[in-house]
Amino acid sequence: MKNGRSRELFATALGLIPGGVNSPVRAFRAVGGEPFFAVRAKGAKIWDADGNEYIDYVGTWGPAIHGHAPPQIVEAIREAAEQGTSFGIPNPLEVEMAQWIVNAVPSIEKVRLCNSGTEAVMSAIRLARGFTKRDKIIKFDGCYHGHVDSLLVKAGSGALTFGHPDSAGVPAAFVEHTVVVPFNDEEAVRRTLDANRGQVAGIILEPVPGNAGLYPPRPGFLEFLRRITTEQDVLLIFDEVMTGFRLARGGAQELYGIKPDLSCFGKVIGGGLPVGAFGGRREIMDHLAPLGPVYQAGTLSGNPLAMAAGLASLRLLSTETYQRLDESGAQLEKGMREIAARANVPVAFNRVGSMFCGYFTEGPVWNLEDALRSDRARFAKFFHGLLHEGVYLAPSQFEAGFISTAHGSEEIDQTLRAVEKVMATL
Ligand code: KE4
């Protein structure tokens, strides 16, 4: 496989950008080797600077739910750009986006738009503390909520991949109010709330954690969290940056029938452009400036290009979208399981809708501790083998894979042929 141009670009990037990347997980450090440099993407495919073609299961980490560069999104951006790229004053598109989110997510009465998932979570945490006048936040190990200082504790995604889930540069004082418990562990949550009675502003979680690979909530776990937080006046905060509009139009909260107090979004609602949003009950949201005492702001919040791209993406979501995503997911899962069994390679394959992760371990994988049992060296070999066969998985065992509506039966079959070939070499 030719990679001369990507190698040249990476060599130059290394002299200019820390690690040669603008986000750590892209550096391939978890799987070894050097990242390719993408120059074009369309539908389920992505091409690198050397002309190599890949079926893409990263989907720019979630936004590309309709595949890359759907004509409707490209046209929406083109049209919006001709009217100006940013106004710094309210524009009709941000009202339309807010209406769309409120209509799609029953737990949301008001929403504030911002520029990234990290911003959305950081702001939601500040709002929860300002509204409850309590300081403590409970999070779950392995869950990643962006690089928010107070939540970079036993975080997932790149933080987990690089083995420093507790980042340098975060003063102890910034995390003294953050309490971490194992995911899917009701007893640990109950004990922690009892030990911090009256001090906890909120419990934040990815309802389907997708930053330590992918594992679902155990049956009843989300209902338990909703019940115990209501009993103790603790806010339940769903970080749906990854799952929002991906697992259902109303996100994981629709899929599991839970109404959190606050929700965070990103990715899909920006159609590939920088975006974030957080929303919830009116009585909470109205604590935000300029109405209330909790400050939050952003130069490019509600940016017309991101709104135009996001609205085009949301307009493409239909019941059929989720049916197709689930069918493709089921086809991939069935094939992966059969191939691993034939090859006698232990793989715990988790999937919820169009999000999936194959762990190289017997399994089951229900939490971070289970996930950490995976054979990362075997994953790295699998990753590079697939890449050589033209299939691009997330470059870390601790990331989720994403299927788009552009991944049809042919793309899945092509993927499974590559998986069969590579699995035999592990
Ligand atoms: P951003 O600030 O990267 O837009 O969103 C942070 C974030 C918040 N919450 C959840 C559940 C997330 O998954 C993310 C970001 N996801 C990672 C993928 N694991 C983004 C990829 C990256 O960091 O480069």
Side-chain angles (χ1 to χ4, degrees), residues 72-96:
Q72 300 87 338
I73 293 180
V74 173
E75 192 46 40
I77 295 170
R78 190 200 315 279
E79 275 175 26
E82 283 163 2
Q83 306 305 315
T85 56
S86 177
F87 308 126
I89 192 105
N91 73 80
L93 292 174
E94 54 197 308
V95 179
E96 194 178 344

Side-chain angles (χ1 to χ4, degrees), residues 23 25 116-118 144-146 157 206 211 239 241-242 267 399:
S23 198
V25 72
S116 71
T118 296
Y144 175 71
H145 301 290
S157 187
E206 296 175 62
N211 284 289
D239 178 349
V241 167
M242 196 181 262
K267 299 182 191 273
E399 294 291 352

Side-chain angles (χ1 to χ4, degrees), residues 23-24 116-123 125 139-140 142-160 164-167 170 175 178 204-206 210-211 239-242 264-267 275 399:
S23 198
S116 71
T118 296
E119 265 192 62
V121 170
M122 175 180 71
S123 311
I125 295 293
K139 79 174 286 284
F140 294 91
C143 281
Y144 175 71
H145 301 290
H147 57 97
V148 190
D149 269 347
S150 64
L151 297 183
L152 275 178
V153 184
K154 291 197 174 62
S157 187
L160 178 61
H164 47 71
D166 311 320
S167 171
V170 178
V175 293
T178 306
I204 186 167
L205 67 149
E206 296 175 62
N211 284 289
D239 178 349
E240 296 229 42
V241 167
M242 196 181 262
C264 305
F265 298 96
K267 299 182 191 273
V275 75
E399 294 291 352

